[in-house]
Amino acid sequence: MTRKVGIIIHPGFQLLDAAGPAAAFELAEGFCVGSYMLEILAPGGGEIESSSGMRLAARPLSMEEPLDTAIISGGEIIRSMAAAQEIVAWLRRTGVRRTASVCTGAYLLAEAGLLDGRRATTHWWSTHDFARRYPAVKLDAERIFVRDGSVWTSAGISAGIDLALALIEDDLGPVIARRVAQQLVVHQRRPGGQSQFSALVELGGRTGRFIGLIEWMRTALAQPLTVECLADRAAMSPRHFARAFKAETGTTPAKAVERIRLESARIAVETGPMSLDRIAEESGFGDAGRMRRAFLRSFGQPPQALRRAAAISRNGGR
């Protein structure tokens, strides 16, 4: 099934709001051929100037465009109120399966009434103004992106990539989304209910030298994975191993172990009913209290909060 994704721009749009998601969907199509078809659309079509002065060629926005997903870019919306009003009118009439916004593109969704009674987010700089203008929207200024049913919104600029990765995961699953994130050299998910891990660690280092070791670590999380233990497994002296591992992955062995334990624990917390004590034991934290402290350091939330958020997401954001 090919999903047609329309990235909708306007005079003064923020270039990364469009280019970031476009790059993510391009890579996803490369990994899963036939999944996506991209279109850049704008009122009137033609060459549309971004806030930076660079231009993108766009096809005219019309009701005849059969889109699966519409992503509305943000930027200097007031540069052309006529274009903004045309996008709002289109949003009110369109029948796309999924509507999303990047950054201040949320203003256009709100103006169209699509966010009334829904949870949403936007660029942190605009949150006070947004809340004043659209009191019917349940604004969550702390989130990188928010899904409420078929409507998705994201925070400022680079958060459009986070949004695109979440949309790809929703369509194609976490494995493809992770591969796209690695190619983009970004975190698949950020803190605040979203985990993030170094792509270099995931790939076993810059040259892949430690990929076998990291795969073994994932199967041995309950063991005491000390530097000495890992060095012995890699057939290196502890001192040489610690230096080589950091040079390859950009992090220390101890931090890599904690990241992998956090990844394993997060997946168990968010996807299953296992008790937190059992998860802590199996992922190598030893007890739930230690695991909770690690979650707070890395994600800013305890395991219970992530479990609740995951349950809400599975229920369509409500």
Side-chain angles (χ1 to χ4, degrees):
M1 171 185 172
T2 300
R3 302 165 182 84
K4 195 167 186 180
V5 177
I7 298 176
I8 300 169
I9 62 176
H10 47 79
F13 74 97
Q14 178 20 263
L15 189 61
L16 191 57
D17 285 6
F25 284 109
E26 172 202 354
L27 289 166
E29 167 64 17
F31 289 128
C32 194
V33 176
S35 297
Y36 294 111
M37 178 185 298
L38 285 175
E39 291 278 9
I40 302 295
L41 305 168
E47 290 194 356
I48 309 300
E49 185 175 82
S50 69
S51 58
S52 69
M54 297 182 69
R55 296 170 178 265
L56 286 183
R59 292 184 55 203
L61 181 66
S62 72
M63 290 304 300
E64 285 69 43
E65 196 71 40
L67 298 179
D68 172 82
T69 301
I71 301 176
I72 314 300
S73 64
E76 298 173 3
I77 294 172
I78 61 172
R79 184 181 292 191
S80 174
M81 292 307 298
Q85 289 166 4
E86 187 171 335
I87 293 172
V88 169
W90 181 86
L91 284 168
R92 287 174 176 159
R93 301 195 308 271
T94 189
V96 298
R97 177 178 70 91
R98 194 168 55 181
T99 308
S101 66
V102 182
C103 194
T104 53
Y107 277 78
L108 299 179
L109 267 61
E111 195 64 30
L114 299 186
L115 299 182
D116 287 355
R118 294 183 185 270
R119 294 163 49 249
T121 193
T122 188
H123 194 293
W124 64 268
W125 182 264
S126 304
T127 52
H128 292 298
D129 178 68
F130 187 95
R132 179 181 60 82
R133 289 175 183 267
Y134 306 108
V137 180
K138 300 173 183 177
L139 186 65
D140 188 344
E142 299 302 316
R143 299 292 297 274
I144 297 296
F145 69 87
V146 171
R147 175 187 183 179
D148 194 327
S150 63
V151 180
W152 305 58
T153 52
S154 74
I157 308 177
S158 67
I161 297 174
D162 298 83
L163 172 71
L165 289 170
L167 293 170
I168 291 165
E169 181 171 347
D170 189 52
D171 292 336
L172 306 179
V175 173
I176 296 296
R178 175 174 293 182
R179 292 177 70 187
V180 171
Q182 289 173 343
Q183 288 297 309
L184 290 170
V185 197
V186 299
H187 302 302
Q188 183 184 351
R189 295 175 179 145
R190 300 198 209 184
Q194 309 298 320
S195 67
Q196 60 171 309
F197 302 98
S198 166
L200 286 176
V201 172
E202 293 289 335
L203 295 171
R206 301 177 197 280
T207 66
R209 177 181 184 181
F210 293 112
I211 191 166
L213 176 65
I214 289 168
E215 288 176 352
W216 173 79
M217 288 162 62
R218 294 185 189 282
T219 69
L221 291 178
Q223 299 184 30
L225 299 177
T226 63
V227 171
E228 291 74 18
C229 170
L230 297 176
D232 183 64
R233 184 82 185 181
M236 301 167 69
S237 72
R239 186 174 179 182
H240 183 207
F241 167 74
R243 286 200 305 265
F245 189 90
K246 186 169 184 181
E248 278 282 312
T249 67
T251 192
T252 66
K255 288 182 179 178
V257 168
E258 182 170 84
R259 286 178 179 179
I260 294 169
R261 282 180 168 148
L262 280 166
E263 178 188 35
S264 174
R266 176 189 62 82
I267 291 170
V269 165
E270 292 184 342
T271 63
M274 190 185 298
S275 73
L276 297 183
D277 286 330
R278 180 72 179 276
I279 292 171
E281 180 182 348
E282 292 194 356
S283 58
F285 285 105
D287 61 74
R290 184 180 171 196
M291 183 174 74
R292 184 179 189 278
R293 291 190 291 274
F295 269 58
L296 287 170
R297 281 196 306 272
S298 295
F299 309 139
Q301 296 187 52
Q304 297 93 328
L306 299 190
R307 176 164 277 179
R308 286 194 297 271
I312 291 171
S313 179
R314 287 194 297 273
N315 291 327
R318 295 184 181 278

